[in-house]
DNA sequence: GCATATCCTGACCGTATGGTCAAGATGAGA
DNA sequence: TCTCATCTTGACCATACGGTCAGGATATGC
């Protein structure tokens, strides 16, 4: 039963506990928002005494900031598919798939992000102004290139991006509403596939990247 | 300068103060979330002493519940355009316009709703299960009729509705992000029109309700 | 084995918050 | 004018929260 003896190294202890805390914090912040979350609840969920949290993260805000930053990183990474693609069907299609998968696997992260932005980004405003702005410009340039190459209609690239974010993140942020409207049950594998297919069909057809069925 | 004399009737006082409080509460709940909002801040914004709030609304939760209920009512009303329409171009087009207008004029309400749902609807779960479920079924039936009449492609009606909600409410809930990506300035009239047009074009073309430009 | 840096945690503290209350002010109705 | 119901509010309370700290436990490097 017992983890036969070998004591954990300091490094393993630190990494393990930080991961435990960040994971618990992400869930609690997602469920209760920054203001509604309590360090005690995060501590309980992580299985550590509250004082231990303050050993690794000096303040609630520092812990929150780390959570949001991690989410932001994952979130940007999901977009690599965009650049490598030869055209909108592959690029936007793969991006929708990737973001829907994140919404399914890590809904808490998406909710924390949404909550942060809804509250006027008190913690990560600098990221919005730098990294996200640059990322957006880059992706808009790609879309414009596709338009010029005649691979899709002359859609406003900015609003297209907003639409991609909105539709995919909706399945995480409003997951509870969707679940309730699904008779209280989470979406099945088939239903998730239907969701992805619907989003991809409407958008890709809507921007003139694919013809009628 | 002074409101020359006539004393306010009890009824006027009650209605006026309740409106003041509800308006302040909507803004504070939207900015800070339920947990982060304080009765003191709502009182200050309404220009009333805190104890007066508790005279009209016994608890913070009761006040919050009233705010969410009001939002829900406005929100459903915006959908009347749906049923009266002869087809998807008019019905969905007008619905998008109406919801975008709400996002523009009452972003706080949309944020409170989003926050409530993200936190698993602790206060209005019953509404989701009854009113919203029925409303959704009704609208899905309308969409199915349009499909059968050949007015649009055989799109999954449920996911189409989610897409409409997601895209339109995104402009309220993520308004701060959109503003930041717009150089820190709110969208101009023209930009709002472009947003509406983009959403309508992509969706209506995406579901096969209108042909290529 | 010893010294040191790191890790752990129960007990504690100041503050802010939701909510209460009692006493006074004010409009309604006769 | 007088009575009553409604409205107002400063002062107050109990609680819960974020954060601190001192002292003990544990791994590390020599």
């Amino acid at each position: 039963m017992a983890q036969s003896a070998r004591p954990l190294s300091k490094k393993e202890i630190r990494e393990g506990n930080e991961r435990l805390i960040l994971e618990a914090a992400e869930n609690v912040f997602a469920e209760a928002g920054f203001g509604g979350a309590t360090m005690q609840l995060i501590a309980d969920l992580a299985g550590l005494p509250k004082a231990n949290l303050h050993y690794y993260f000096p303040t609630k805000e520092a812990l929150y900031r780390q959570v949001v930053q991690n989410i932001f990183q994952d979130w940007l990474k999901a977009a690599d598919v965009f650049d490598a693609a030869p055209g909108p069907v592959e690029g936007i299609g793969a991006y929708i798939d990737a973001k829907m998968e994140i919404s399914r696997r890590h809904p808490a992260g998406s909710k924390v992000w949404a909550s942060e932005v809804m509250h006027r980004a008190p913690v990560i405003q600098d990221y919005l102004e730098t990294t996200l702005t640059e990322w957006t410009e880059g992706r808009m340039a790609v879309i414009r290139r596709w338009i010029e190459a005649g691979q899709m209609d002359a859609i406003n690239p900015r609003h297209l991006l907003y639409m991609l974010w909105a539709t995919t993140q909706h399945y995480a942020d409003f997951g509870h509403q969707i679940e309730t409207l699904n008779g209280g049950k989470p979406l099945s594998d088939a239903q998730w596939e239907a969701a992805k297919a619907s989003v991809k069909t409407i958008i890709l057809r809507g921007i003139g990247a694919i013809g009628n069925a």
Side-chain angles (χ1 to χ4, degrees), chain A:
Chain A
M1 195 67 90
Q3 188 88 0
S4 68
R6 184 174 73 82
L8 295 165
S9 77
K10 295 288 190 197
K11 195 178 160 199
E12 286 169 326
I13 289 174
R14 174 166 282 272
E15 285 171 358
N17 283 346
E18 284 183 348
R19 202 174 43 75
L20 269 179
I21 294 168
L22 286 168
E23 199 175 310
E26 182 174 302
N27 285 307
V28 173
F29 284 133
E31 290 295 318
F34 180 80
T38 72
M39 295 298 271
Q40 187 62 61
L41 193 57
I42 296 171
D44 292 347
L45 201 62
L48 295 170
K50 192 185 70 167
N52 211 348
L53 264 66
H54 282 99
Y55 173 72
Y56 288 102
F57 300 92
T59 65
K60 183 184 180 183
E61 196 174 316
L63 172 56
Y64 176 75
R65 189 177 175 89
Q66 190 61 57
V67 168
V68 178
Q69 280 182 6
N70 289 352
I71 292 159
F72 191 56
Q73 292 310 318
D74 285 359
W75 203 66
L76 286 184
K77 207 170 15 178
D80 290 345
V81 288
F82 219 103
D83 300 283
V89 178
E90 300 83 359
I92 293 176
Y95 185 56
I96 291 172
D97 280 334
K99 296 246 26 230
M100 289 289 277
E101 208 55 33
I102 291 178
S103 283
R104 186 177 190 185
R105 305 296 174 192
H106 300 290
S110 184
K111 287 180 188 178
V112 174
W113 176 268
S115 193
E116 167 69 8
V117 171
M118 280 200 327
H119 300 351
R120 314 193 73 83
V123 172
I124 47 85
Q125 177 64 20
D126 50 335
Y127 276 84
L128 296 186
E129 289 173 5
T130 57
T131 318
L132 184 61
T133 299
E134 290 156 22
W135 185 92
T136 305
E137 295 294 341
R139 253 36 58 169
M140 282 169 58
V142 173
I143 293 171
R144 280 197 206 92
R145 231 172 291 137
W146 288 337
I147 292 173
E148 280 160 24
Q151 294 175 289
M152 56 176 279
D153 295 344
I155 299 289
N156 183 313
R158 190 177 291 279
H159 294 298
L160 172 56
L161 281 177
Y162 295 164
M163 200 160 171
L164 293 172
W165 295 342
T167 46
T168 54
Q169 287 165 223
H170 181 83
Y171 282 87
D173 301 342
F174 290 76
H176 176 74
Q177 180 172 295
I178 290 172
E179 194 172 311
T180 298
L181 291 176
N182 193 42
K185 289 176 308 226
L187 297 190
S188 66
D189 288 355
Q191 286 174 317
W192 271 100
E193 289 309 312
K196 277 192 209 172
S198 295
V199 171
K200 280 193 287 189
T201 300
I202 294 176
I203 290 185
L204 290 177
R205 192 168 298 172
I207 63 174
I210 57 177
N212 283 354

